[in-house]
Amino acid sequence: MPRTSVVIIGAGIVGCSLAAELTARGWSDVTVLEQGESPMPGGSTSHAPGLVFRTNPSRTMSRLAIRTVETLTALGAFDAVGGLEVATTPERLADLRRKAGLAASWGIRAEVVGPGRCAELWPPLDRDRVLGGLHTPDDGIAHAVEAARRQRERALARGARFLDRHTVTGVERASSPGGAGPPHHGTRDRVTAVVTDRGVFPAERVVSAAGFWGPVIGAMAGVTVPLLPLAHQYATTTPLPRPPRPGLPVLRHQDRDLYARQHGDRIGIGSYAHRVLPVDPRSLPSYDDAPVMPSSLAFTAEDYAASWDDAVRLLPALAEVEIADGFNGVFSFTPDGFPLLGEAPELDGFWLAEALWVTHAAGAARAVAQWMTDGRADLDLHECDIARFEEAQRSPGYIAERGARAFTEVYDVIHPLQPPGRPRPLRVSPFHVRQCELGAHFLEGGAWERPQWYEANAGLLAGGPVTGGGAERRDAWAARHWSPIVGAEARATRERVALYDMTPLRRVAVSGPGSLAFLQGVTSNQLAKPVGSVTYALLLDHGGGIRSDVTVTRLGEERFQLGVNAPSDVHWLLGRAPGTVRVVDITSGTCGIGVWGPLARDLVQPLTQDDFSHHSFRYFTARRAHIGAVPVTALRLSYVGELGWELYTTADLGLRLWDTLWAAGRPLGLIAAGRGAFASLRLEKGYRAWGQDMTTEDSPYEAGLGFAVRLGKGEFTGRDALDPGSVSRSLTCLTLDDPSAVVLGKEPVYVGGTVAGHVTSAAYGYTIGRCVVYAWLPPLAPGTPVQVEWFGEKVAATVAVEPLVDPAMDRIRR
Ligand code: FAD
Ligand code: THG
């Protein structure tokens, strides 16, 4: 494999780091093509002020940053001056407390400090303006150009070739070996060469590391690169008459969208407060024609004026100086703020390593090199995977609107449930009109509108107080995107019956000769079972990590329906299916309803001539049936842990299905229930959510999913790497001791006073009357007391025996 030829496009910090990492793994034919001239080829790296703050709500992003700092420190291109984020509003101060918790979860030193300490750490600061700050002593300044230069030297020493002044003008492709793929896959082309103004470079793999030029290169390859290039202002002052001591931490004043660092006796200040300044990279001057650099545009002083005033207010010493140099530098934002890594779904062999800050560049380059070499990285990269986008999230309008939004919101306090403002609504299920009528409070996921609860259920609250819920004591943060109605919906599901919209659950049809053998080879569980069986199974990667969990329904000898998680699951399956097997994502053309609760059979049976009795229609089986006039595929299973079925049909019949169930169910007390109740019920039942509770970094045995692995069934991806005996940590169920306490996820967990792990999922359990928490922890006996940190407070919790509800499966199997 390492003999494979690779061409990297772009010699910024990403391209240089990637060349270093690939050659370190034995890749011997690595060429880096760069339109400009090293070591300052003119991209974003050439002028990055290099502030590095590692703490991020995403564990993966934090770890990419931690690794970048490690690498840059070893290269002598990092100054660990520390970081200081100041708060000038109570809301920000609270958020910094929450952020200190995130830092603790991800192993980053951080401390919330008072105004006095802030002024000590940053003497030019007006201490009367700040309420406090978050000090992270190991953050600091990356010397991006120097880092790129050293990475380039390492790569050169190991045989890589760097060709400056080679402008890429095209990407060549051919049908995959063996001719065009099966017609239903579309033609799966492979990349073959990169064309430049100075000749053609054949390549088996191409990595676009072109930064904000990514969409231009992508267009040459027929690949959508969902990032928005835009300009961002940075200015440096004249020397301060009384220069501060050297080594000031990097500073953030997020309430005014500002950051600052010291340049000797000057201060550099960047602003995100200005209007959105999108840039068309095709319109930029060439390396030779650019006044400074292609990515450095003329400073627009009028856009900076308000930020300068804000900076002077925070740092009064600035009143004595003025702006010496300013520029509008070009970089990029993606719709969700995460980078674009991995192989493009549209073109085999064409990889991306783009939309990376300097902060994450070296760590991400290492992860991509691992991925290219071994087929997997040692970090969970699903949030960064280029294959994560839904088709509806790949339009130019969506990319522009969400990219601009990501820019303006970059320093905002964002609640984990907060849906994006626009463009909405985008994807709606056929039940949307009814959901609106019922007063749905919509959140968003995968571009789908998803009811969190329904105001129409407010009347249920009159039927008696919902157990706990923390309603009495929920603070404003925990109460956001929450209502006591969530608890009422959970209770109605446990006591009667509820409809859940399952349309957004991704469905894949797999059919054709060889389908069973193919699925056996990519899943962990035994699928060679009679037609009509449903199986819960894992998709493992080669290292035995969990890359998804799925349900596999055998509809015919060689015909299956899979319930999967991410769009990248479809990409993974397509990439492995033999030519005879058809893999089709049917999500958009179909819809589904979960009908769950003790009265589910009383509701459904009268609507059908098919036998839905317990003995005829067994748990974890499926059949085709009719509900009234609507043909459905009915699956007897339940992620909320109650009796019932998932009913799937085509989108055109969805509304009829909903209305049929609704009319028949009202006398039984049927309600529509939202995602809030869904999340609560699944945690009480102990069902894991992929991407949140477990990822490729976790083994099935650690995640408590060993039951879904049949080592004896024959060869399957990941099997050889599995070791049931090796469990050094486990996904552990906790409950909070105080019945009204609530946490939301990602908080650090303390055992005996030190951080021992972090929360993956948490939700109030309305049946048990306590908050249910899952966390990665060293193996602990049930009953062990632990603590979960919430905005700086330690909340008492106890290791529980799972599942908390219905361990004997009496509710679901009857
Ligand atoms: P680039 O450095 O842009 O490299 C891409 C390369 O591809 C370029 O050299 C370009 O010439 C080359 N290329 C493009 N098209 C072609 C082609 N057709 N043929 C050949 N070569 C091509 N990040 C931080 O972490 N902290 C900060 O404080 C920070 N501050 C910033 C402040 C400003 C004002 C700006 C603009 C950015 C800042 N960033 C910061 C972001 C950071 O600079 C970039 O995200 C990072 O440098 C991107 O690195 P890269 O290697 O992906 O892209
Ligand atoms: N429904 C369908 N497909 C899905 C999901 C779903 N695919 C993705 C995701 N959700 C998969 N997650 C689960 C998790 C648990 C169960 C089903 C899907 C489940 N587990 C039972 C248990 O653990 O007791 C049964 C396991 C078994 O018998 O093997 O029901 O929601 N269609």
Side-chain angles (χ1 to χ4, degrees):
M1 152 104 68
R3 296 204 172 279
T4 311
S5 55
V6 193
V7 166
I8 297 170
I9 303 170
I13 189 166
V14 174
C16 291
S17 297
L18 188 59
E21 295 289 346
L22 285 173
T23 50
R25 285 168 180 74
W27 292 66
S28 55
D29 187 354
V30 175
T31 303
V32 183
L33 301 173
E34 168 56 56
Q35 65 190 4
E37 208 165 285
S38 299
M40 297 268 275
S44 310
T45 305
S46 302
H47 53 232
L51 286 80
V52 174
F53 289 90
R54 295 164 302 159
T55 308
N56 189 292
S58 158
R59 175 170 178 267
T60 294
M61 292 300 276
S62 288
R63 291 180 65 215
L64 292 175
I66 289 167
R67 290 179 173 192
T68 298
V69 167
E70 281 166 10
T71 301
L72 268 50
T73 301
L75 294 174
F78 186 77
D79 278 343
V81 291
L84 179 66
E85 304 184 49
V86 295
T88 57
T89 60
E91 194 199 16
R92 179 69 59 182
L93 188 60
D95 201 53
L96 293 181
R97 291 215 168 84
R98 188 174 71 95
K99 205 164 186 180
L102 286 170
S105 287
W106 316 148
I108 294 168
R109 283 204 296 156
E111 192 191 355
V112 176
V113 296
R117 179 73 180 133
C118 289
E120 231 171 78
L121 286 163
W122 238 86
L125 200 79
D126 180 357
R127 64 165 288 169
D128 295 335
R129 291 237 158 232
V130 299
L131 304 175
L134 183 68
H135 182 220
T136 44
D138 306 318
D139 285 337
I141 297 174
H143 300 290
V145 172
E146 185 58 13
R149 198 178 62 77
R150 303 251 167 120
Q151 294 281 45
R152 186 168 178 271
E153 278 167 7
R154 289 167 78 200
L156 282 166
R158 292 192 284 254
R161 177 166 65 141
F162 280 76
L163 300 174
D164 283 353
R165 292 192 171 273
H166 281 63
T167 300
V168 173
T169 56
V171 174
E172 289 187 350
R173 56 204 288 155
S175 296
S176 284
H184 49 268
H185 286 177
T187 321
R188 276 187 81 80
D189 282 359
R190 259 210 95 73
V191 71
T192 56
V194 174
V195 184
T196 73
D197 56 348
R198 296 167 75 172
V200 176
F201 294 81
E204 291 158 276
R205 302 271 179 94
V206 172
V207 189
S208 184
F212 67 81
W213 281 277
V216 181
I217 306 289
M220 297 175 195
V223 167
T224 302
V225 178
L227 65 76
L228 176 72
L230 30 76
H232 154 59
Q233 297 197 291
Y234 189 79
T236 314
T237 65
T238 52
L240 286 157
R242 276 158 288 114
R245 61 156 197 276
L248 294 190
V250 290
L251 181 72
R252 273 179 175 168
H253 178 21
Q254 292 164 104
D255 294 318
R256 304 310 304 167
D257 292 318
L258 294 176
Y259 63 83
R261 61 160 283 196
Q262 182 178 21
H263 297 272
D265 54 3
R266 302 157 189 255
I267 306 288
I269 301 158
S271 167
Y272 294 104
H274 55 80
R275 72 197 157 100
V276 177
L277 299 164
V279 171
D280 177 359
R282 289 176 187 81
S283 72
L284 295 176
S286 71
Y287 182 74
D288 288 319
D289 296 340
V292 187
M293 279 185 278
S295 64
S296 180
L297 307 179
F299 190 59
T300 49
E302 66 281 12
D303 291 316
Y304 196 77
S307 288
W308 177 252
D309 293 345
D310 285 330
V312 177
R313 265 191 284 279
L314 184 73
L315 311 168
L318 294 183
E320 301 172 55
V321 295
E322 51 194 42
I323 296 169
D325 290 305
F327 65 103
N328 291 8
V330 186
F331 64 177
S332 67
F333 270 82
T334 55
D336 56 10
F338 285 96
L340 307 174
L341 309 181
E343 189 176 26
E346 300 100 324
L347 184 59
D348 286 351
F350 188 87
W351 289 64
L352 296 177
E354 278 161 353
L356 286 158
W357 299 80
V358 169
T359 301
H360 308 104
R366 194 199 315 173
V368 171
Q370 290 173 342
W371 197 352
M372 291 177 69
T373 310
D374 307 329
R376 72 189 296 264
D378 64 349
L379 271 185
D380 156 41
L381 294 177
H382 82 273
E383 295 165 310
C384 311
D385 190 340
I386 178 65
R388 71 183 176 274
F389 294 98
E390 305 283 339
E391 200 53 40
Q393 295 171 319
R394 291 151 56 89
S395 71
Y398 183 90
I399 295 164
E401 192 160 342
R402 293 297 306 279
R405 187 92 195 161
F407 171 83
T408 50
E409 285 180 350
V410 67
Y411 279 171
D412 289 3
V413 174
I414 308 268
H415 191 274
L417 290 174
Q418 182 175 315
R422 297 189 320 175
R424 284 181 69 192
L426 200 51
R427 304 178 89 186
V428 299
S429 81
F431 326 127
H432 187 247
V433 54
R434 296 288 178 265
Q435 294 169 343
C436 291
E437 287 163 11
L438 294 171
H441 178 90
F442 287 104
L443 300 181
E444 196 239 39
W448 288 99
E449 292 298 313
R450 313 193 75 170
Q452 187 73 0
W453 70 83
Y454 295 89
E455 286 298 330
N457 293 327
L460 298 176
L461 292 170
V466 172
T467 331
E472 325 73 40
R473 268 193 32 195
R474 257 190 201 241
D475 56 56
W477 186 256
R480 240 185 252 185
H481 303 295
W482 176 84
S483 157
I485 297 170
V486 170
E489 292 178 0
R491 185 175 59 184
T493 310
R494 291 261 188 256
E495 291 177 357
R496 295 188 302 279
V497 56
L499 300 186
Y500 287 84
D501 184 356
M502 296 299 284
T503 305
L505 177 91
R506 185 166 301 276
R507 290 169 295 285
V508 179
V510 176
S511 61
S515 290
L516 175 64
F518 161 60
L519 289 173
Q520 286 280 59
V522 293
T523 62
S524 63
N525 211 338
Q526 179 56 270
L527 307 180
K529 294 197 284 199
V531 169
S533 57
V534 181
T535 309
Y536 175 69
L538 308 174
L539 300 185
L540 302 178
D541 67 18
H542 302 284
I546 305 169
R547 73 169 320 294
S548 194
D549 69 337
V550 302
T551 55
V552 183
T553 302
R554 191 167 192 187
L555 295 172
E557 286 301 321
E558 295 282 25
R559 208 156 55 79
F560 297 84
Q561 178 172 315
L562 273 58
V564 308
N565 292 294
S568 50
D569 291 343
V570 183
H571 180 52
W572 173 268
L573 292 169
L574 276 170
R576 278 154 190 80
T580 55
V581 172
R582 199 176 144 80
V583 175
V584 184
D585 183 341
I586 58 169
T587 315
S588 289
T590 60
C591 62
I593 300 176
V595 186
W596 291 311
L599 302 183
R601 187 175 286 118
D602 302 278
L603 166 57
V604 172
Q605 186 62 81
L607 295 172
T608 179
Q609 296 183 1
D610 299 277
D611 185 352
F612 274 54
S613 69
H614 177 54
H615 293 290
S616 166
F617 197 150
R618 309 290 304 187
Y619 181 57
F620 262 75
T621 65
R623 63 176 58 165
R624 292 288 292 169
H626 286 87
I627 302 295
V630 180
V632 297
T633 300
L635 273 54
R636 186 171 165 203
L637 59 88
S638 165
Y639 200 63
V640 303
E642 290 294 328
L643 172 69
W645 293 266
E646 288 177 358
L647 304 173
Y648 293 104
T649 189
T650 49
D652 52 342
L653 292 167
L655 196 54
R656 175 70 186 225
L657 177 61
W658 178 282
D659 288 344
T660 304
L661 292 165
W662 190 255
R666 288 309 274 171
L668 299 172
L670 172 73
I671 61 155
R675 301 284 301 172
F678 190 78
S680 162
L681 296 167
R682 72 109 180 153
L683 280 177
E684 287 185 329
K685 190 70 181 96
Y687 291 161
R688 279 77 169 133
W690 182 83
Q692 215 173 312
D693 299 317
M694 73 286 188
T695 68
T696 51
E697 288 184 44
D698 310 309
S699 93
Y701 306 105
E702 295 170 331
L705 296 172
F707 70 88
V709 179
R710 291 286 178 279
L711 289 173
K713 79 160 178 169
E715 187 50 43
F716 60 87
T717 307
R719 186 183 76 159
D720 297 343
L722 291 178
D723 176 4
S726 135
V727 174
S728 56
R729 52 193 201 113
S730 358
L731 188 56
T732 306
C733 179
L734 314 172
T735 54
L736 300 188
D737 295 354
D738 174 350
S740 64
V742 175
V743 299
L744 294 182
K746 305 195 179 188
E747 296 85 1
V749 181
Y750 293 76
V751 180
T754 53
V755 179
H758 66 273
V759 175
T760 57
S761 294
Y764 200 84
Y766 300 93
T767 318
I768 64 155
R770 283 198 193 322
C771 187
V772 185
V773 175
Y774 273 78
W776 280 107
L777 287 169
L780 297 171
T784 305
V786 303
Q787 292 174 310
V788 183
E789 186 179 317
W790 176 253
F791 288 85
E793 264 181 62
K794 302 277 197 309
V795 180
T798 305
V799 176
V801 178
E802 64 169 334
L804 297 163
V805 169
D806 196 26
M809 304 290 276
D810 296 331
R811 303 182 67 85
I812 202 164
R813 290 184 197 244
R814 68 197 163 98

